[in-house]
């Protein structure tokens, strides 16, 4: 299996794509030939999460042997990296609705599912490509990616990682997770600005010729852990496949019976993995893209127009506060029936005008497989309150957005009696201020004090990663202007060269 760019016929091996992230022409790597309809329940029944991941990855990372893939998977998904031996357990709400819990990894967000495996894929690819330079992972984060990447890469030989996050754009708990990060090969910096600023400034540093030349002289190669990397994206397909198997095993659906999936969406990585699982044969009827007030994507699924010329909002679901979804280009590639010239034009429109539109036919076609919806913060808090009071189940704000979108669809009968699965992307305890507000608990300064209040009424145990976080010292408290990101990167390059 080789990978090609969304913008041209440039074709590379999986190891090259893993190592370099982005194609030379600025496009994203997609499989040269997509493995369509290769999965069936009967082949997957009875398999563990790890075994299912091995099946999924065998279609994409053909550059590694089955034994190598198995080893990497065993290192990524085990009882030290995940708190539940099922890795992604399925929680049943009622006969119509299940929740797939993606938050049992080290940082309590779904990003752990990809970022527990990605460092192994990347270091193996580095070896295969005979790349001797030190890798420097540069990452901009809206909250959860950065922490999951830091945990994944912490003290991994031959790699270093630097993370930038928007100073005011993450939750207090996410901020503590970032500031208290351990590891000799890590740097973390807050920036004044929002996530899109962090991401676009970092992209500029990443592609700057002088900066790259300087890194090269110092024996350092830049790489990315953002969700555009194939090593982030394809591991995520596995949990859609395992969710399907769990649904059948639980009796929620019959073998082959179509179901809907609602995905709280920001950079479009998670939902894209769902689309790939569907293409591989998982009987997903519709993928529902759930947004917060930054509803650029859910608008697209209604109108066929992607229009970034709008106000940016900071919401209760910060990991979805994104206007430029970096994985969306991969989806457009399939909307265009793999026509890279069309993708190139759409991306040019987006760059020139902040806006692009698909044809009416293309819209009708994609609406058979996708829908979009959004809710605001007040509704999000009401959903958290309602689901906790009616079902005793505490949702994080991102998952609550998806739940609210589901409820609105359900009221309108749009699910037509199909079973729905909500992808739950974070543990509620990562977002104490919103949970306190939703449950009408008095506000507090310290996020851990808030968690005590929440625990007092829910009796839900504090997960170990948060227990430990509480007493760790702050290591990274800097906040810099975005114009200074370049010099921050260069100074880390110097430190790596000296080490
Ligand atoms: C990253 C993240 C999202 C958005 O996922 P995308 O793959 O970027 O669409 C949603 N919820 C949480 C908790 C996240 O960390």
């Amino acid at each position: 299996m080789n990978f090609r760019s969304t913008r041209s016929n440039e074709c590379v091996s999986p190891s090259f794509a893993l190592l370099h992230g982005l194609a030379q022409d600025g496009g994203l790597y997609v499989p040269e030939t997509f493995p369509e309809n290769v999965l069936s329940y009967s082949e997957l029944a009875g398999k563990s999460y790890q075994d299912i991941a091995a099946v999924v990855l065998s279609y994409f990372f053909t550059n590694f042997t089955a034994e190598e893939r198995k080893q990497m998977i065993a290192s990524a998904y085990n009882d030290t990296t995940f708190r539940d031996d099922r890795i992604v357990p399925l929680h049943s709400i009622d006969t119509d609705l299940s929740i797939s819990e993606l938050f049992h990894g080290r940082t309590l967000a779904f990003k752990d599912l990809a970022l527990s495996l990605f460092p192994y894929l990347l270091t193996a690819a580095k070896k295969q490509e005979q790349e001797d330079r030190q890798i420097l992972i540069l990452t901009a984060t809206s909250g959860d990616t950065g922490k999951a990447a830091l945990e994944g890469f912490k003290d991994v030989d031959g790699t270093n990682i630097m993370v930038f996050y928007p100073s005011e754009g993450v939750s207090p708990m996410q901020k503590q997770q970032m500031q208290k990060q351990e590891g000799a090969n890590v740097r973390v910096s807050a920036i004044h600005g929002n996530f899109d600023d962090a991401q676009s400034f970092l992209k500029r540093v990443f592609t700057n010729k002088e900066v790259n030349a300087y890194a090269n002289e110092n024996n350092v190669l830049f790489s990315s852990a953002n969700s555009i990397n194939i090593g982030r994206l394809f591991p995520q397909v596995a949990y859609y496949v395992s969710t399907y198997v769990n649904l059948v095993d639980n009796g929620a659906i019959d073998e082959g019976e179509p179901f809907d999936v609602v995905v709280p969406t920001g950079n479009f990585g998670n939902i894209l993995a769902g689309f790939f699982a569907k293409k591989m044969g998982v009987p997903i009827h519709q993928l529902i893209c759930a947004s917060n007030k930054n509803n650029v994507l859910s608008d697209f699924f209604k109108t066929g127009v992607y229009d970034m010329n709008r106000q940016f909002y900071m919401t209760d679901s910060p990991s979805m506060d994104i206007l430029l979804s970096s994985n969306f280009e991969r989806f457009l590639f399939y909307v265009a029936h793999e026509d890279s010239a069309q993708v190139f034009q759409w991306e040019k429109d987006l760059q020139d005008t902040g806006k692009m539109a698909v044809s009416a036919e293309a819209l009708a076609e994609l609406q058979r497989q996708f829908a979009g919806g959004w809710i605001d913060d007040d509704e999000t808090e009401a959903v958290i309150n309602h689901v906790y009071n009616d079902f005793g189940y505490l949702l994080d704000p991102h998952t609550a957005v998806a739940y609210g979108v589901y409820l609105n669809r359900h009221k309108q009968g749009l699910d037509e009696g199909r079973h729905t699965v909500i992808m739950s992307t974070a543990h509620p305890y990562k977002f104490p201020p919103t949970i306190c507000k939703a449950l009408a608990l008095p506000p507090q300064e310290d996020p851990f004090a808030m968690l005590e209040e929440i625990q007092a009424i829910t009796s839900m145990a504090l997960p170990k990663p948060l227990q430990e976080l509480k007493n760790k010292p702050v290591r990274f408290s800097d906040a810099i202007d975005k114009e200074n990101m370049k010099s921050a990167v260069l100074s880390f390059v110097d430190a790596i060269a000296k080490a």
Side-chain angles (χ1 to χ4, degrees):
M1 163 72 74
N2 281 325
F3 286 81
R4 58 167 290 187
S5 167
T6 47
R7 297 190 196 178
S8 71
N9 295 329
E10 180 192 326
C11 225
V12 301
S13 68
S15 54
F16 187 94
L18 279 165
L19 203 55
H20 296 272
L22 206 64
Q24 299 286 310
D25 58 21
L28 306 183
Y29 288 119
V30 284
E32 193 180 17
T33 315
F34 197 92
E36 306 248 3
N37 294 317
V38 290
L39 300 177
S40 68
Y41 174 79
S42 54
E43 252 179 284
L44 301 162
K47 286 197 191 310
S48 66
Y49 187 87
Q50 291 82 350
D51 291 343
I52 288 175
V55 171
V56 170
L57 296 186
S58 71
Y59 290 101
F60 301 103
F61 299 108
T62 51
N63 54 321
F64 303 125
T65 65
E67 189 48 38
E68 285 170 331
R69 286 191 299 260
K70 198 174 153 200
Q71 290 282 334
M72 293 186 226
I73 288 166
S75 309
Y77 308 121
N78 56 55
D79 57 10
T80 56
T81 54
F82 280 78
R83 294 172 304 126
D84 191 303
D85 59 12
R86 295 163 295 177
I87 310 298
V88 177
L90 189 71
H91 180 90
S92 168
I93 295 278
D94 62 27
T95 52
D96 294 333
L97 183 66
S98 303
I99 295 191
S100 190
E101 296 183 344
L102 309 177
F103 54 75
H104 294 286
R106 277 171 293 195
T107 75
L108 310 176
F110 92 95
K111 308 288 196 301
D112 288 323
L113 283 153
L115 282 160
S116 298
L117 183 66
F118 180 57
Y120 298 102
L121 292 169
L122 189 70
T123 44
K126 181 177 186 256
K127 211 163 141 194
Q128 232 170 38
E129 293 286 307
Q130 298 176 321
E131 176 55 69
D132 298 326
R133 287 175 284 184
Q134 283 277 322
I135 287 183
L136 172 48
I137 305 281
L138 295 174
T139 292
T141 182
S142 60
D144 292 325
T145 297
K147 182 62 184 181
L150 287 160
E151 281 300 313
F153 280 100
K154 156 181 98 181
D155 297 329
V156 172
D157 258 3
T159 74
N160 308 273
I161 173 164
M162 181 160 209
V163 167
F164 296 96
Y165 68 93
S167 175
E168 303 313 319
V170 300
S171 85
M173 196 59 87
Q174 288 176 321
K175 195 175 244 185
Q176 292 215 20
Q177 282 187 315
M178 228 90 71
Q179 292 185 334
K180 295 179 171 179
Q181 178 63 40
E182 295 170 331
N185 62 341
V186 311
R187 288 270 175 100
V188 182
S189 182
I191 67 146
H192 303 298
N194 61 36
F195 169 69
D196 288 323
D197 293 331
Q199 175 131 298
S200 54
F201 267 78
L202 191 60
K203 209 167 171 180
R204 255 185 259 171
V205 176
F206 205 94
T207 51
N208 182 303
K209 284 212 172 68
E210 286 156 44
V211 177
N212 276 278
Y214 185 79
N216 189 32
E217 280 161 31
N218 284 284
N219 216 25
V220 170
L221 173 70
F222 293 139
S223 189
S224 144
N226 280 356
S227 60
I228 53 160
N229 196 298
I230 61 166
R232 282 277 310 272
L233 192 54
F234 292 99
Q236 295 182 163
V237 177
Y239 57 72
Y240 284 90
V241 181
S242 85
T243 296
Y244 166 48
V245 172
N246 290 338
L247 283 169
V248 177
D249 292 347
N250 277 11
I253 59 167
D254 291 330
E255 183 181 335
E257 182 183 333
F259 60 100
D260 289 341
V261 185
V262 190
V263 188
T265 299
N267 255 325
F268 212 76
N270 192 354
I271 194 168
L272 189 69
F275 177 62
F276 287 160
K278 178 171 159 71
K279 282 169 86 67
M280 291 178 84
V282 175
I284 296 171
H285 176 74
Q286 262 194 329
L287 287 148
I288 294 121
C289 171
S291 307
N292 61 29
K293 206 171 175 183
N294 297 298
N295 53 5
V296 57
L297 279 166
S298 57
D299 278 358
F300 171 80
F301 287 109
K302 292 200 177 98
T303 62
V305 180
Y306 191 97
D307 187 355
M308 289 170 21
N309 305 305
R310 61 176 74 208
Q311 197 184 332
F312 174 86
Y313 298 98
M314 293 215 284
T315 74
D316 283 350
S317 41
S319 299
M320 295 153 63
D321 290 345
I322 293 169
L323 292 181
L324 180 55
S325 294
S326 49
N327 258 302
F328 191 62
E329 176 168 345
R330 279 201 174 93
F331 173 64
L332 289 177
F333 178 74
Y334 294 100
V335 173
H337 298 285
E338 310 199 1
D339 174 359
S340 48
Q342 175 67 78
V343 174
F344 187 87
Q345 185 56 49
W346 282 336
E347 289 300 322
K348 191 169 180 308
D349 292 347
L350 259 182
Q351 213 154 49
D352 295 348
T353 66
K355 194 170 157 177
M356 59 75 61
V358 303
S359 68
E361 300 84 64
L363 178 63
E365 192 182 323
L366 68 87
Q367 281 175 338
R368 279 198 288 278
Q369 307 193 61
F370 280 84
W374 71 280
I375 64 170
D376 66 16
D377 280 353
D378 287 345
E379 290 170 279
T380 304
E381 287 157 24
V383 168
I384 293 171
N385 184 294
H386 149 73
V387 175
Y388 178 68
N389 284 312
D390 283 14
F391 302 104
Y393 188 82
L394 194 61
L395 298 169
D396 103 280
H398 303 77
T399 311
V401 168
Y403 204 113
V405 169
Y406 159 75
L407 285 176
N408 290 341
R409 280 176 59 82
H410 187 66
K411 270 183 229 145
Q412 295 171 55
L414 293 173
D415 50 354
E416 299 171 328
R418 272 183 307 276
H419 195 85
T420 299
V421 181
I422 291 171
M423 288 298 176
S424 176
T425 49
H427 193 288
Y429 282 9
K430 278 194 99 165
F431 304 94
T434 304
I435 304 294
C436 273
K437 220 168 138 202
L439 300 183
L441 298 168
Q444 307 249 8
E445 259 309 301
D446 175 26
F448 287 101
M450 285 190 251
L451 283 185
E452 275 172 32
E453 285 184 343
I454 300 166
Q455 266 184 288
I457 65 157
T458 63
S459 314
M460 196 173 156
L462 192 64
K464 204 161 141 231
L466 292 184
Q467 272 170 37
E468 293 170 351
L469 182 68
K470 190 173 173 183
N471 299 317
K472 284 181 183 168
V474 168
R475 282 183 74 198
F476 303 103
S477 53
D478 278 7
I480 61 172
D481 287 330
K482 44 191 188 277
E483 291 75 18
N484 293 331
M485 286 169 71
K486 183 171 139 189
S487 55
V489 170
L490 291 178
S491 111
F492 195 24
V493 169
D494 287 339
I496 295 165
K498 277 200 208 99

